Amino acid sequence: MIGLVVVSHSAKAAEGIADVAAQMGGGSARIVPAGGEDGGIGTSPDTIREAIEEADDGDGVVVLVDLGSAVMNTELAIEMATDVNASIADAPILEGTLNAAVETTSKKATLQSVVERAEEAREYRKLN
């Protein structure tokens, strides 16, 4: 099954997003939060790499990020990870993670299909 990693500058935000997506997305998705740095706000390539490696069961990992340096540190973490096929989804972090979690439950899910499903969330409107 494709694994998911939620990268946020806040550990609480990453954990909360992972919880919401796991509960609303069917519960069987492997979602690993990677947030905060040294107990504060920030992101760490080492923490993200560890989360990517934890989320991977051999089928690959899709990473969803909040902003700014989370993207840069995730790119670095993907380069550092050993034997993991990982991609960053360009999607809103909560809605994208929920979409991705639902997609991972499909027997036909691929790394690309999970990324695409997450990125569909860019088009969601909350108000008309």
Side-chain angles (χ1 to χ4, degrees):
M1 175 180 279
I2 305 296
L4 302 175
V5 173
V6 177
V7 178
S8 174
H9 282 72
S10 164
K12 289 179 182 179
E15 291 164 7
I17 290 165
D19 287 346
V20 168
Q23 289 183 30
M24 294 180 69
S28 64
R30 179 192 325 267
I31 307 172
V32 180
E37 182 176 23
D38 297 326
I41 299 295
T43 59
S44 160
D46 289 327
T47 301
I48 298 165
R49 177 192 49 78
E50 290 168 5
I52 290 169
E53 291 173 350
E54 180 182 339
D56 185 45
D57 70 357
D59 291 333
V61 176
V62 174
V63 185
L64 294 105
V65 299
D66 61 3
L67 49 93
S69 63
V71 175
M72 178 184 64
N73 284 332
T74 298
E75 290 171 337
L76 183 56
I78 289 171
E79 290 177 16
M80 293 168 29
T82 55
D83 299 324
V84 178
N85 187 10
S87 294
I88 302 172
D90 184 10
I93 192 167
L94 174 57
E95 295 89 339
T97 303
L98 177 56
N99 275 10
V102 170
E103 179 66 18
T104 65
T105 64
S106 168
K107 292 180 181 175
K108 296 180 181 179
T110 64
L111 194 62
Q112 186 60 36
S113 74
V114 174
V115 169
E116 288 171 1
R117 187 71 187 271
E119 291 178 349
E120 286 176 7
R122 290 186 302 210
E123 305 302 319
Y124 290 172
R125 296 187 49 90
K126 295 180 176 124
L127 302 173
N128 290 331

